[in-house]
Amino acid sequence: MAGVGSAVRRLYLSVYNWVVFVGWAQVLYYAVTALLDGGHEGVYAAVERPLQLAQTAAVMEILHGLVG
């Protein structure tokens, strides 16, 4: 049964890492698009929400590592 738990853990970590990667890629895409469209003034407005989600996921990962 340990093999099943290990496989589930690997699947969870793979999905989690891909979701986090896509989130940061989205932040990068929005930032570059905003820079090209209107300069640096509009970058934060363009990336605010996905950036908050990506940073929250990063903080939660740190806290999870401290607890477990």
Side-chain angles (χ1 to χ4, degrees):
M1 198 68 176
V4 173
S6 178
V8 170
R9 179 177 290 167
R10 279 195 314 252
L11 178 63
Y12 165 76
L13 289 174
S14 294
V15 170
Y16 173 79
N17 284 328
W18 276 107
V19 168
V20 170
F21 170 76
V22 168
W24 281 111
Q26 183 181 26
V27 170
L28 178 63
Y29 173 77
Y30 287 158
V32 170
T33 302
L35 277 171
L36 293 176
D37 287 345
H40 69 279
E41 294 87 5
V43 172
Y44 185 73
V47 301
E48 181 178 10
R49 187 65 177 156
L51 180 62
Q52 288 173 346
L53 292 172
Q55 288 178 331
T56 300
V59 169
M60 295 302 289
E61 185 174 357
I62 292 169
L63 294 176
H64 181 262
L66 292 175
V67 173

